[in-house]
Amino acid sequence: IDQRVCGDINVGCADCFVCLNARGLDDRSGCCQMSRNHCPFRTVLGILNHNGTMAEYLTLPISNLHRVPDGMSDEVAVFSEPLAAACRIVEQGLVRYDGPHPDRVAIVGDGKLG
């Protein structure tokens, strides 16, 4: 309460096999472990069965909220989720960034960030 937060947009149901057996998103033992992102009943803020941030009010489970450090401006904090999504693509091995021949990536269009 009375704190600035950023929200994880994926909300699992918390009751299915995937949610009950998911590894934490911070578990680095295997990047492609099950997580609430794989819940077959999940909602995704602004994308799948959950109003987006243009709504007057929205709710997220407290487990989806991450405190914004006091020294971080709102202009920087707003990019936490898009940056997390980009990092997740690298974690999943969809883009190779190390080794003698890293992948080249072109970002085309503005996507959902508009």
Side-chain angles (χ1 to χ4, degrees):
I1 298 177
D2 199 30
Q3 292 183 5
R4 295 181 312 141
V5 295
C6 292
D8 181 342
I9 67 171
N10 294 286
V11 182
C13 73
D15 291 322
C16 72
F17 175 83
V18 172
C19 288
L20 294 174
N21 294 284
R23 292 183 180 252
L25 295 177
D26 291 329
D27 179 5
R28 300 293 182 230
S29 64
C31 67
C32 297
Q33 299 292 333
M34 283 190 304
S35 72
R36 66 176 170 256
N37 297 2
H38 298 103
C39 171
F41 308 106
R42 79 182 187 282
T43 61
V44 183
L45 185 64
I47 299 172
L48 180 64
N49 299 325
H50 200 291
N51 287 337
T53 56
M54 296 302 284
E56 187 173 353
Y57 298 99
L58 61 94
T59 60
L60 285 172
I62 197 161
S63 61
N64 281 56
L65 302 179
H66 307 280
R67 189 176 172 280
V68 174
D70 291 335
M72 183 179 288
S73 70
D74 291 343
E75 291 80 11
V76 171
V78 74
F79 288 101
S80 297
E81 193 283 326
L83 177 60
C87 291
R88 185 68 179 145
I89 290 169
V90 173
E91 287 176 345
Q92 290 174 329
L94 300 176
V95 175
R96 200 172 82 212
Y97 61 91
D98 56 357
H101 303 289
D103 292 336
R104 292 182 181 198
V105 178
I107 300 172
V108 179
D110 52 18
K112 295 189 183 321
L113 291 179

